[in-house]
Amino acid sequence: MPMLSLYQRLLRRRYENETLADEIHRVPTTDGLRVALKRFLPNDDVERRHLPVLLVPGLGADSHNFDAPAPIGLAPYLAEHGFDTFVVDLRGTGLSHVPRERWSQVCFDDFLQLDVPAVDEKIQQLTGRHQRLHLGHSMGGMLLYAAMATGRAGHIKAGVTVGTPVGFPHRWQVAPLLRPFRHLGEWVPGLFMRDMSRLVTPLLTLSDRWPGLNTYVELSNMEPKMAQQLLFQAVQDIPRALLLQFRDWVEHDAFRSQNHDVDYRAQLMGTQTPVLAVAGPADKLGTPKAVERICGLSSNVEYMLCGKAQGFSADYGHADLLLGAPSRDEVFPKLLDFLVRHDDDAKETTSTTSHLRVL
């Protein structure tokens, strides 16, 4: 396979980028694994914020969704504006490796009960702060909601969720290409996307309407080279247990634990952690209907739809809310404003009042 090996080396040379993080920590979990935690330190010439912020990527992605090449990466952007910023590679993604014999059993509840608590403890050790802010994309936001639902969010001052559904009212419309293969999850160890996405990366510029890809990103909102770099680096394999858990959620419009004992959506009712829920009108995965459900559950929510009708330059989709060419200029500042407001609240040790505000 020398030709394939040569092709892979050429792809790495063209599309692979080094991390922009200042530090990388290997954080031990209570079940004997280690998850990678990237740290982006604030610039010396800006006012340092009081609270650290943790960024959590979504399903089938790793920290590169935030640690993207300049000028797109949200983690460097927040550090530039004074936040001590952390990004996690959840187990089985990026730099957080899982032994082969354990990989297929990784599920959402592992992230919630093992990875995030370990990371929180490490952030407290590194910063001396017992509260933090949270920003999650897609599943990364679902982890915030699950923490709120199970009483694990007491140390989270406020959170931003981007393209984060609370269940899947559109059922299999969110993943039409996977529907014919939905029963294969019982027999395969997982969905292997990483190597395949790397091999086809050069083809991405041939069309902005790849079959199925527009479910996850509006390519017309992204620079072609940036889209290629992210397709090459950020896409990750999905283990069977996690795949089956999401299949359950899609088929039953549910949001619950692997064993069905905990209904995260039901237990969100009346929670008070301040949340900014961000949606894109062209998002076919975290649809506005699915995202805005949080407004009827939690009592302290701000909702922002990012589309032309709301004064944005484009109708945003799923991944391009964070990675689109215009995102840094028109989406990032609004995320920053929310985080700064609640960081200022923490400095003044005052509490926010419950409200729903539509931006």
Side-chain angles (χ1 to χ4, degrees), residues 120-136:
D120 280 341
E121 183 177 346
K122 185 65 175 181
I123 291 174
Q124 290 177 12
Q125 292 175 357
L126 291 171
T127 66
R129 303 296 184 186
H130 295 287
Q131 282 191 313
R132 67 165 172 86
L133 300 164
H134 185 107
L135 192 150

Side-chain angles (χ1 to χ4, degrees), residues 3 9 51 65 72 78 199 252 268 302 305 317 340 348:
M3 291 301 297
R9 287 201 299 271
L51 297 179
N65 272 8
I72 297 298
L78 293 176
L199 290 175
H252 300 99
L268 274 168
E302 302 176 24
L305 186 63
V340 167
E348 298 168 5

Side-chain angles (χ1 to χ4, degrees), residues 8 20 26 53 68-69 113 130 152 212 333 335:
Q8 291 173 329
L20 300 177
R26 309 285 181 169
V53 56
Q113 299 170 12
H130 295 287
R152 297 171 177 270
L335 309 184

Side-chain angles (χ1 to χ4, degrees), residues 96-159:
S96 299
H97 305 296
V98 176
R100 180 178 299 180
E101 64 274 13
R102 295 180 60 179
W103 177 77
S104 65
Q105 300 306 310
V106 170
C107 70
F108 178 87
D109 305 317
D110 294 329
F111 303 150
L112 175 67
Q113 299 170 12
L114 298 169
D115 293 2
V116 175
V119 163
D120 280 341
E121 183 177 346
K122 185 65 175 181
I123 291 174
Q124 290 177 12
Q125 292 175 357
L126 291 171
T127 66
R129 303 296 184 186
H130 295 287
Q131 282 191 313
R132 67 165 172 86
L133 300 164
H134 185 107
L135 192 150
H137 178 245
S138 196
M139 186 189 71
M142 298 178 85
L143 283 167
L144 171 62
Y145 292 157
M148 292 164 56
T150 56
R152 297 171 177 270
H155 63 293
I156 301 176
K157 180 65 177 177

Side-chain angles (χ1 to χ4, degrees), residues 49 81 83 335-345:
R49 302 296 175 184
H81 289 83
F83 279 104
L335 309 184
L336 176 66
D337 174 70
F338 179 87
L339 295 173
V340 167
R341 279 194 282 119
H342 289 281
D343 183 69
D344 288 343
D345 285 346

Side-chain angles (χ1 to χ4, degrees), residues 54-62 64-66 74 87 90 108 134-145 160-165 215-217 234 246 276 278-280 283 285-286 291 317-323 335:
L54 174 64
L55 309 185
V56 186
L59 178 69
D62 72 355
H64 283 99
N65 272 8
F66 300 107
L74 180 60
V87 190
L90 297 167
F108 178 87
H134 185 107
L135 192 150
H137 178 245
S138 196
M139 186 189 71
M142 298 178 85
L143 283 167
L144 171 62
Y145 292 157
V160 178
T161 63
V162 181
T164 296
T215 300
Y216 309 104
V217 61
F246 266 84
L276 171 64
V278 182
D283 192 339
L285 185 58
V291 171
H318 193 63
D320 49 291
L321 275 166
L322 290 178
L323 301 166
L335 309 184

Side-chain angles (χ1 to χ4, degrees), residues 38-278:
K38 297 179 178 179
R39 187 182 191 182
F40 299 76
L41 293 168
N43 291 359
D44 293 335
D45 58 348
V46 298
E47 177 188 0
R48 291 183 71 103
R49 302 296 175 184
H50 182 70
L51 297 179
V53 56
L54 174 64
L55 309 185
V56 186
L59 178 69
D62 72 355
S63 56
H64 283 99
N65 272 8
F66 300 107
D67 183 17
I72 297 298
L74 180 60
Y77 175 89
L78 293 176
E80 289 169 9
H81 289 83
F83 279 104
D84 198 347
T85 304
F86 295 85
V87 190
V88 61
D89 277 333
L90 297 167
R91 60 180 58 201
T93 70
L95 300 174
S96 299
H97 305 296
V98 176
R100 180 178 299 180
E101 64 274 13
R102 295 180 60 179
W103 177 77
S104 65
Q105 300 306 310
V106 170
C107 70
F108 178 87
D109 305 317
D110 294 329
F111 303 150
L112 175 67
Q113 299 170 12
L114 298 169
D115 293 2
V116 175
V119 163
D120 280 341
E121 183 177 346
K122 185 65 175 181
I123 291 174
Q124 290 177 12
Q125 292 175 357
L126 291 171
T127 66
R129 303 296 184 186
H130 295 287
Q131 282 191 313
R132 67 165 172 86
L133 300 164
H134 185 107
L135 192 150
H137 178 245
S138 196
M139 186 189 71
M142 298 178 85
L143 283 167
L144 171 62
Y145 292 157
M148 292 164 56
T150 56
R152 297 171 177 270
H155 63 293
I156 301 176
K157 180 65 177 177
V160 178
T161 63
V162 181
T164 296
V166 187
F168 296 90
H170 293 84
R171 302 304 208 283
W172 281 104
Q173 292 180 38
V174 302
L177 292 184
L178 293 180
R179 183 174 185 175
F181 307 102
R182 62 191 184 279
H183 297 301
L184 290 179
E186 310 285 353
W187 308 103
V188 298
L191 183 61
F192 298 99
M193 303 190 301
R194 179 176 175 270
D195 289 342
M196 180 59 68
S197 67
R198 288 189 165 200
L199 290 175
V200 302
T201 291
L203 304 178
L204 189 63
T205 57
L206 299 181
S207 172
D208 63 359
R209 306 302 297 179
W210 274 27
L213 190 58
N214 63 317
T215 300
Y216 309 104
V217 61
E218 282 294 309
L219 287 174
S220 59
N221 292 336
M222 296 186 66
E223 295 288 346
K225 185 176 180 180
M226 180 64 64
Q228 289 176 312
Q229 289 173 326
L230 290 165
L231 182 65
F232 184 81
Q233 292 198 134
V235 176
Q236 301 291 298
D237 299 332
I238 303 175
R240 176 174 57 211
L242 182 59
L243 192 64
L244 292 177
Q245 194 166 10
F246 266 84
R247 188 185 72 175
D248 170 56
W249 295 352
V250 170
E251 290 188 338
H252 300 99
D253 184 21
F255 178 33
R256 56 195 178 189
S257 62
Q258 185 185 36
N259 59 12
H260 298 185
D261 286 351
V262 182
D263 187 333
Y264 298 127
R265 183 165 64 205
Q267 293 186 195
L268 274 168
M269 183 63 69
T271 52
Q272 297 182 358
T273 302
V275 171
L276 171 64
V278 182

